[in-house]
Amino acid sequence: MIAIVDYGAGNLGSVVNAIRKLGYQPAVTREPRTVLSSAAVILPGVGAAGDAMENLGAIGMTDVIRKVIHEKRPLFAVCVGLQLLFSSTEEGGLHKCLDVIPGTVKRLPQSLKVPHMGWNQVKQQVRHHLFSGIPDEANFYFVHSYYADPEDISVVAGTTDYGVSMCSVAIRDNLVATQFHPEKSGNWGLRMYSNFLEMALSKEGRYGKEKGN
Amino acid sequence: MLTKRIIPCLDVTQGRVVKGTSFADLRDAGDPVELAAFYYEEGADELVFLDIGATPEGRDIMVDVVERVSKQVFIPLTVGGGLRGIDDMRRMLGAGADKISINTAAVHSPGLIADGARRFGSQCIVVAIDAKRRMGGDTPGWEICTYGGRVPMGIDAITWSRRAVELGAGEILLTSWDADGHRAGYDLELTSAISETVIVPVIASGGAGSLEHLYQALVVGKADAVLAASIFHYQTYSIRQAKAYLAEKGIPVRTDQQIGVCR
């Protein structure tokens, strides 16, 4: 089963539509048990990171997400979902986040228009099945004012330039996170979800094995 | 590099697209769902749906249109026209809209911008500004109008854009009521004045008649995106032609997902 975590993120419907378009029937859930028993978890996100943390906490989901990641189960975090994985964010004052990837979330430089809104290129920094069939420097749709700055660059799987060179795709074990919105990024975005789900749902657990787990 | 966005606008009333009856390749060019899918496949970067009737029945129909479009079109969707409050916004977002455009309601109750931004995030809140050039005076100036450009409000457009962004607008959809419908080009002075005032992206609207006009709005007007209705609806130009033209002139545009161009 594919679980899409419902913690009040406004773009939940778009994520559901994209996954259904690929032929899957995802479960939209706020039940810890459902999330813990799913083969793949998607953590959507728009809006402020502080609010998102609060909303996750309100449905008892923060430790559940940490557990899913700790157990190296496939999880795809989107936009604010990616930011929540880091230690803390500067958005709206300093807020603690899930702290599963060391690093902070910072404000984009003010020299350019903020939010960073529109289609921008993702430079693939690693070879990974997530990028299968997607050309290097393909365009994806971004909308955000903050960006993640990981301490350990080995998690950086894709980068995008906007005033800074930022981590736009993070991968660690079976955890995947994108700063852009695959559900709003046309064919490449759908392909990325499809690649993730293929890895997550393959019987052999190929996804986990790829990195030798 | 962030690309410049090309945004077709679908004017809808009672569930039908108002312009665009000359589409040879569509079964029903008046069907917003079919037209949206067509533009998506052609490489449109976003779509804007404006309910120009702005009646309660029209709004119900628009919810249905947005629901159907969002199941097959995977680019950002903005919906506007007659949206009055948080409940209207929530309904449209729930149906699959990514952004809500507010105009008259925002001018009458600016707190709605802040409320919307707080509940749904700034990225959801597009403030549409309809601006008319002031007559007389030595320096150019514009005042905002509401109710589809009919009612001048005596409020300066630059001042209002600054205020809207302070309140939480994530983007400005700027329409020149002097240029709109004339196909003689965007109001470049207005566009650059607003674009230089606010930190958020500005979508230029009103006046596109040629591809050169799109280029001017992006370069001279310093817009982040260009919106056009009739040049695309009447198939004067296709989205693909527009992007090829802009790319040729050195403007960064997204060309990697058009039909036949996918690698």
Side-chain angles (χ1 to χ4, degrees):
Chain A
M1 189 176 39
I2 300 161
I4 301 179
V5 183
D6 175 13
Y7 65 101
N11 67 334
L12 190 78
S14 304
V15 178
V16 173
N17 284 338
I19 303 303
R20 283 202 181 129
K21 177 77 179 175
L22 297 170
Y24 299 100
Q25 284 304 322
V28 174
T29 182
R30 44 176 60 205
E31 274 298 314
R33 263 180 310 175
T34 310
V35 173
L36 286 169
S37 62
S38 293
V41 180
I42 299 176
L43 184 65
V46 291
D51 294 348
M53 272 307 286
E54 219 167 88
N55 295 341
L56 269 183
I59 58 166
M61 201 56 82
T62 40
D63 283 340
V64 174
I65 301 295
R66 282 198 189 96
K67 189 162 188 240
V68 167
I69 295 165
H70 182 71
E71 289 175 356
K72 299 186 178 171
R73 299 151 68 97
L75 184 137
F76 197 133
V78 181
C79 190
V80 171
L82 170 143
Q83 298 181 4
L84 296 182
L85 301 173
F86 285 79
S87 315
S88 63
T89 176
E90 290 176 357
E91 185 173 6
L94 197 70
H95 288 274
K96 288 205 77 162
C97 294
L98 293 167
D99 198 20
V100 292
I101 301 178
T104 52
V105 176
K106 300 173 174 168
R107 175 104 181 150
L108 283 167
Q110 302 283 309
S111 51
L112 295 167
K113 291 280 176 101
V114 177
H116 171 216
M117 186 185 281
W119 298 77
N120 203 336
Q121 300 86 53
V122 171
K123 292 191 190 110
Q124 300 173 12
Q125 303 294 348
V126 296
R127 284 197 61 178
H128 195 280
H129 186 63
L130 189 72
F131 295 123
S132 174
I134 301 170
D136 192 19
E137 306 224 11
N139 285 289
F140 289 86
Y141 187 80
F142 289 80
V143 50
H144 63 116
S145 302
Y146 291 79
Y147 72 100
D149 186 13
E151 280 171 22
D152 172 10
I153 61 158
S154 73
V155 300
V156 180
T159 56
T160 296
D161 292 332
Y162 191 69
V164 289
S165 174
M166 74 181 101
C167 170
S168 51
V169 184
I171 301 179
R172 194 182 72 194
D173 304 317
N174 293 330
L175 171 63
V176 167
T178 62
Q179 181 57 69
F180 52 84
H181 288 275
E183 66 279 2
K184 288 289 147 185
S185 297
N187 289 334
W188 304 141
L190 292 176
R191 180 67 192 254
M192 189 167 273
Y193 275 142
S194 169
N195 289 342
F196 167 74
L197 292 173
E198 214 176 272
M199 294 183 287
L201 301 177
S202 65
K203 274 183 193 155
E204 304 78 34
R206 197 175 97 228
Y207 192 31
K209 280 181 186 166
E210 257 190 355
K211 285 206 165 182
N213 295 312
Chain B
M1 191 190 287
L2 182 63
T3 58
K4 299 287 186 181
R5 290 170 280 153
I6 311 296
I7 308 176
C9 177
L10 284 72
D11 291 336
V12 177
T13 184
Q14 300 296 315
R16 302 289 295 172
V17 179
V18 175
K19 298 166 186 167
T21 46
S22 68
F23 271 76
D25 5 15
L26 291 189
R27 194 169 35 84
D28 176 6
D31 176 13
V33 181
E34 198 173 352
L35 192 54
F38 175 81
Y39 283 138
Y40 169 57
E41 294 189 350
E42 245 207 346
D45 295 312
E46 288 189 33
L47 295 173
V48 170
F49 295 84
L50 284 185
D51 179 3
I52 59 167
T55 59
E57 310 80 59
R59 195 142 57 242
D60 293 345
I61 298 169
M62 191 64 119
V63 168
D64 175 61
V65 166
V66 172
E67 252 170 25
R68 284 157 57 215
V69 170
S70 67
K71 285 186 170 66
Q72 48 182 312
V73 169
F74 297 95
I75 53 176
L77 309 173
T78 300
V79 180
L83 303 179
R84 292 272 169 269
I86 292 294
D87 288 341
D88 285 342
M89 293 182 179
R90 185 179 289 117
R91 260 186 99 193
M92 286 302 174
L93 293 170
D98 299 284
K99 310 182 205 178
I100 300 299
S101 164
I102 48 173
N103 186 342
T104 303
V107 176
H108 288 306
S109 41
L112 184 58
I113 302 172
D115 272 0
R118 194 164 50 241
R119 281 169 207 247
F120 311 117
S122 280
Q123 82 292 332
C124 279
I125 311 299
V126 182
V127 171
I129 298 179
D130 293 344
K132 249 192 188 114
R133 202 172 266 264
R134 272 195 292 268
M135 291 302 155
D138 297 335
T139 48
W142 300 266
E143 71 171 309
I144 58 169
C145 311
T146 54
Y147 297 101
R150 290 191 295 272
V151 183
M153 298 299 291
I155 299 170
D156 181 68
I158 293 174
T159 309
W160 172 236
S161 68
R162 195 179 289 126
R163 173 108 178 95
V165 172
E166 278 166 9
L167 286 166
E171 193 170 35
I172 300 289
L173 169 51
L174 178 66
T175 304
S176 158
W177 278 86
D178 305 295
D180 197 47
H182 292 291
R183 301 200 194 187
Y186 296 86
D187 185 334
L188 302 175
E189 253 181 325
L190 167 69
T191 309
S192 69
I194 301 287
S195 193
E196 283 173 348
T197 298
V198 297
I199 189 176
V200 302
V202 172
I203 305 170
S205 158
S210 72
L211 300 182
E212 171 68 17
H213 293 153
L214 305 182
Y215 174 78
Q216 287 168 347
L218 295 168
V219 175
V220 185
K222 305 182 179 72
D224 302 280
V226 281
L227 179 139
S230 47
I231 62 163
F232 296 134
H233 295 331
Y234 293 116
Q235 292 196 308
T236 318
Y237 302 100
S238 66
I239 304 276
R240 199 188 306 186
Q241 279 173 320
K243 288 194 169 180
Y245 175 87
L246 293 171
E248 174 94 347
K249 297 194 96 175
I251 304 285
V253 285
R254 179 181 71 108
T255 54
D256 58 356
Q257 283 194 30
Q258 297 162 3
I259 292 172
V261 188
C262 287
R263 279 173 279 177

